[in-house]
């Protein structure tokens, strides 16, 4: 019999060698791929931003590319719109401020998370530059019932959020006539009222939390126009 | 794994050729329908074809790499430490597959979520390493892994086809059923996975039993 | 109070709403393989719950202190050798977890064998099989995701595996109860064995689908503060 130490090495040298070999391979994979993966994760969200701020007509057939803090929107006509994104956190919500390169904010996109019917719903909601209107909705992740609740990701439901007033909470209604009668109404999906209501609740909570702070920041930035309000605080 | 341990002794025999290994993996010893291995991905990622095929590709990458790797070092293996070596090899290749997916097929990586790392405990891979990789040369090991990957493709592909067409009326996201046919939404939800696999297994059993009955008559 | 509500949500979510076996499909092998008799099913379920809790605790420790980006222990070593920025060992996570699981299975087996011989007799035979049970790796991965995201502490990371394991036990015991009765039934020949077991599991999954939606309601009932939040903010706005 070998002494214990020699025996340990004779038994396990293969595993130690493999460990070193595999460790090296993993380090190589990690250093090469982790920037790509991080960029993928960011681009996934940033790619949605133009559609949540700009009118749909401006984006018809447009191609969106993301690089760093810049989003390039190449329209079908060939002209390119260059957008700058600034990321910050307001009232616990991720906020993306979208501006034309070197210009004033075009609009804001806020991320909201809340519970849906099956699991948490993670969504982005667009706010116009003057904070008066919602400009769009995009669902990042959800696990609602297939073909019923998951219709919240589709255009017929999302369109109720485009152009709705941001000043008052959205109201969920069950008839199309009622939904069309006034702005700020959302028509509930058939057989998925809870999913529809969950989305509205998340949007309402997100907007209510973020909008006052954004308004305060905007009025602080322009004291000449809103001096009265500023003094009041 | 319980099933795998029961199946192993029967499957071990004296060195079939590469071609025999390849063929055996596809139908006669199909991992899904004949050996009931790798049930977890077969049920979990088969709501649609695209994630199912991505899963098959990732599993095939790990299966082939690990089987060939184990085969290359088979003479150096200490019998009582072999499972440890298998696990280390498989876990490494799974990590690589996971990173590659996240870098180049990001939407699929998000869709598959934790089921990519769960390839580590997919019994098919450790079973192939044990049955073939640790006993035969790299070429046979490659053929064996490729055959079993094709078998796995048949398993996942058939379950996903049934579930996506009946559940959403589409195949690879393309519409195949007219809109008047009602969608069986339950098929893309968890219970549908169990039911679809059960009925496909029953179909395979029924088909297997047929020629036998004729022979008896 | 908020922590308690959160833990209750995680517990109900892991055990019932998103049952490990019937909704996430992890741990299918023992679920089908060891569910022929009621007492072995219970033994298997308890063994899994035991191991999953130990592995969950170990994986939280490892993730929090070593594996997550910027973890204190990894950072200390990384800065000592003069590395720039934060250390990120997350690429090693899968390898670390599978060995943590193997180690906790060994550890639990030795411990139970030495100190609780009757318990070892009842579920000891299942322990080696558990190493490759995907439910355990799955729990580790869920914990990793939430800890890296900065959402979970130790309490949450222990609640998930304990109740996930109990949910597994519930599913496998229900399944065994049904299969015992099924032995007396006249099952069509092609459906015998695995197919009828899977069909049974499908019907069980259908029943568990009834728990969906419970989470949202429970959350609303438990956290009245969150439900009132929008109104509160709105009133602040009016005050200004």
């Amino acid at each position: 019999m070998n002494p214990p130490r020699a025996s340990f090495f004779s038994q396990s040298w293969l595993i130690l060698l493999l460990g070193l070999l595999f460790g090296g391979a993993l380090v190589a994979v990690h250093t090469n791929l982790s920037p790509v993966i991080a960029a993928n994760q960011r681009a996934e969200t940033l790619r949605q931003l133009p559609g949540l701020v700009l009118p749909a007509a401006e984006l018809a057939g447009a191609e969106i590319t993301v690089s760093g803090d810049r989003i390039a929107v190449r329209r079908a006509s060939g002209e390119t719109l260059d957008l700058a994104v600034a990321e910050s956190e307001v009232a616990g919500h991720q906020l993306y401020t979208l501006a034309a390169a070197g210009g004033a904010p075009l609009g804001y996109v806020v991320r909201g998370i809340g519970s849906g019917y099956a699991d948490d719903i993670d969504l982005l909601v667009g706010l116009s530059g003057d904070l008066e209107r919602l400009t769009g909705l995009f669902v990042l992740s959800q696990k609602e019932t297939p073909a019923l609740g998951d219709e919240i990701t589709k255009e017929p439901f999302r369109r109720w959020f485009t152009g709705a007033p941001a000043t008052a909470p959205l109201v969920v209604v069950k008839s199309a006539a009622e939904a069309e009668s006034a702005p700020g109404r959302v028509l509930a999906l058939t057989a998925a009222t809870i999913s529809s209501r969950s989305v509205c609740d998340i949007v309402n909570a997100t907007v209510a939390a973020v909008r006052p702070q954004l308004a305060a920041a905007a009025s602080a930035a322009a004291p000449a126009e809103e001096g009265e309000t500023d003094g009041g605080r | 794994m319980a099933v795998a341990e029961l199946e192993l002794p029967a499957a071990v025999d004296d060195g079939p050729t590469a071609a025999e290994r390849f063929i055996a993996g596809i139908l006669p010893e199909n991992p899904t329908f004949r050996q009931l291995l790798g049930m977890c991905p077969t049920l979990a990622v088969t709501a649609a074809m695209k994630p199912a095929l991505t899963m098959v590709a990732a599993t095939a990458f790990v299966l082939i790499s690990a089987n060939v790797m184990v085969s290359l070092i088979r003479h150096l293996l200490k019998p009582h430490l072999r499972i440890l070596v298998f696990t280390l090899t498989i876990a490494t290749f799974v990590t690589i597959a996971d990173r590659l997916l996240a870098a180049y097929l990001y939407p699929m990586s998000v869709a598959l979520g934790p089921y990519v790392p769960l390839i580590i405990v997919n019994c098919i891979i450790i079973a192939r390493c044990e049955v073939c990789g640790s006993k035969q040369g790299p070429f046979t090991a490659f053929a064996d892994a490729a055959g079993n990957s094709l078998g796995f493709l048949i398993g996942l592909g058939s379950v996903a086809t049934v579930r996506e067409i009946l559940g959403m009326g589409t195949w690879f996201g393309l519409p195949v059923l007219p809109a008047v046919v009602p969608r069986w939404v339950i098929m893309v939800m968890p219970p549908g996975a169990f039911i679809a696999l059960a009925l496909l297994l029953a179909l395979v059993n029924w088909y297997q039993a047929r020629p036998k009955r004729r022979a008896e008559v | 109070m908020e922590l308690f509500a959160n833990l209750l949500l995680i517990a109900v979510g892991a055990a019932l709403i998103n049952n490990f076996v019937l909704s996430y499909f992890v741990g299918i092998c023992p679920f089908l393989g060891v569910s022929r008799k009621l007492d072995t099913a219970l033994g298997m379920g308890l063994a899994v719950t035991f191991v999953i809790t130990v592995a969950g605790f170990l994986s939280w420790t490892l993730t929090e202190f070593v594996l997550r980006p910027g973890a204190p222990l990894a950072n200390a070593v990384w800065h000592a050798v003069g590395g720039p920025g934060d250390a990120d060992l997350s690429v090693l996570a899968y390898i670390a977890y599978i060995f943590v699981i193997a180690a906790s299975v060994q550890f639990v087996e030795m411990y139970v064998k030495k100190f609780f011989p009757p318990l070892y007799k009842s579920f000891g035979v299942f322990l080696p099989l558990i190493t490759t049970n995907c439910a355990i790796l799955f729990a580790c991965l869920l914990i990793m995701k939430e800890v890296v995201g900065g959402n979970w502490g130790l309490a949450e990371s222990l609640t998930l595996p304990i109740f996930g394991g109990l949910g597994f036990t519930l599913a496998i015991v229900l399944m065994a109860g049904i299969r015992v009765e099924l032995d007396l039934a006249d099952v069509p020949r092609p459906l015998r064995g695995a197919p009828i077991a899977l069909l049974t599991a499908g019907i069980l999954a259908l029943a568990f689908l009834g728990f969906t939606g419970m989470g949202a309601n429970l959350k609303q009932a438990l956290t009245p503060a969150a439900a009132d939040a929008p109104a509160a903010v709105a009133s602040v706005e009016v005050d200004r």
Side-chain angles (χ1 to χ4, degrees), chain C residues 142-177:
Chain C
L142 277 191
I143 292 171
M144 172 194 175
K145 190 176 150 222
E146 299 291 345
V147 169
V148 170
N151 305 326
W152 282 14
L154 178 60
E156 287 95 338
S157 307
L158 276 178
T159 311
L160 175 91
I162 294 174
F163 284 90
L166 288 178
F168 175 81
T169 312
L170 177 67
I172 198 172
V173 167
L174 282 176
M175 183 74 178

Side-chain angles (χ1 to χ4, degrees), chain A residues 13-97:
Chain A
W13 67 267
L14 180 66
I15 289 172
L16 296 176
L17 185 72
L18 281 178
L20 277 179
L21 209 76
F22 289 156
L26 286 183
V27 167
V29 167
H30 185 63
T31 41
N32 284 321
L33 295 186
S34 60
V36 186
I37 296 170
N40 278 344
Q41 283 167 349
R42 236 177 92 79
E44 178 82 356
T45 307
L46 295 195
R47 207 182 298 280
Q48 305 304 334
L49 300 188
L52 290 175
V53 170
L54 301 174
E58 280 192 40
L59 286 170
E63 189 185 308
I64 297 169
T65 47
V66 178
S67 63
D69 287 335
R70 297 276 166 178
I71 304 176
V73 180
R74 182 198 285 275
R75 298 219 179 93
S77 58
E79 55 177 323
T80 308
L81 182 66
D82 219 6
L83 299 172
V85 186
E87 237 177 288
S88 55
E89 206 182 292
V90 172
H93 291 274
Q94 239 172 329
L95 173 81
Y96 303 90
T97 309

Side-chain angles (χ1 to χ4, degrees), chain B residues 66-99:
Chain B
N67 215 15
V68 170
M69 183 82 197
V70 165
S71 165
L72 286 173
I73 57 171
R74 68 187 186 282
H75 297 304
L76 308 170
L77 284 175
K78 302 273 186 295
H80 60 283
L81 291 177
R82 69 182 195 290
I83 299 290
L84 194 64
V85 173
F86 296 166
T87 312
L88 184 66
T89 315
I90 294 168
T92 307
F93 284 117
V94 168
T95 309
I96 293 173
D98 179 62
R99 297 289 130 151

Side-chain angles (χ1 to χ4, degrees), chain B residues 60-145:
Chain B
F61 167 77
V62 178
L63 179 53
I64 293 173
S65 317
N67 215 15
V68 170
M69 183 82 197
V70 165
S71 165
L72 286 173
I73 57 171
R74 68 187 186 282
H75 297 304
L76 308 170
L77 284 175
K78 302 273 186 295
H80 60 283
L81 291 177
R82 69 182 195 290
I83 299 290
L84 194 64
V85 173
F86 296 166
T87 312
L88 184 66
T89 315
I90 294 168
T92 307
F93 284 117
V94 168
T95 309
I96 293 173
D98 179 62
R99 297 289 130 151
L100 285 173
L101 270 186
Y104 300 113
L105 269 177
Y106 187 70
M108 277 296 122
S109 163
V110 173
L112 291 175
Y115 295 102
V116 178
L118 283 178
I119 296 175
I120 299 177
V121 282
N122 188 326
C123 337
I124 297 175
I125 303 178
I126 209 155
R128 289 339 290 173
C129 288
E130 173 82 16
V131 172
C132 178
S134 62
K135 297 193 173 69
Q136 295 185 292
F139 180 68
T140 315
F142 176 83
D144 178 68

Side-chain angles (χ1 to χ4, degrees), chain C residues 65-144:
Chain C
F65 295 109
V66 184
L67 292 174
R68 72 184 166 91
L73 271 179
N75 251 1
V77 175
W78 182 242
H79 291 149
V81 298
D86 273 347
D88 180 6
L89 292 178
S90 52
V91 72
L92 294 178
Y94 303 160
I95 300 180
Y97 291 149
I98 193 72
F99 283 105
V100 158
I101 293 168
S104 34
V105 169
Q106 285 286 321
F107 167 76
V108 168
E109 190 176 7
M110 284 191 307
Y111 183 80
V112 172
K113 198 174 187 177
K114 187 154 173 77
F115 294 103
F116 305 100
L119 200 60
Y120 182 76
K121 247 186 201 156
S122 66
F123 70 66
V125 283
F126 304 119
L127 282 169
L129 292 180
I130 291 176
T131 314
T132 48
N133 182 339
C134 34
I136 297 173
L137 184 59
F138 181 77
C140 292
L141 292 166
L142 277 191
I143 292 171
M144 172 194 175

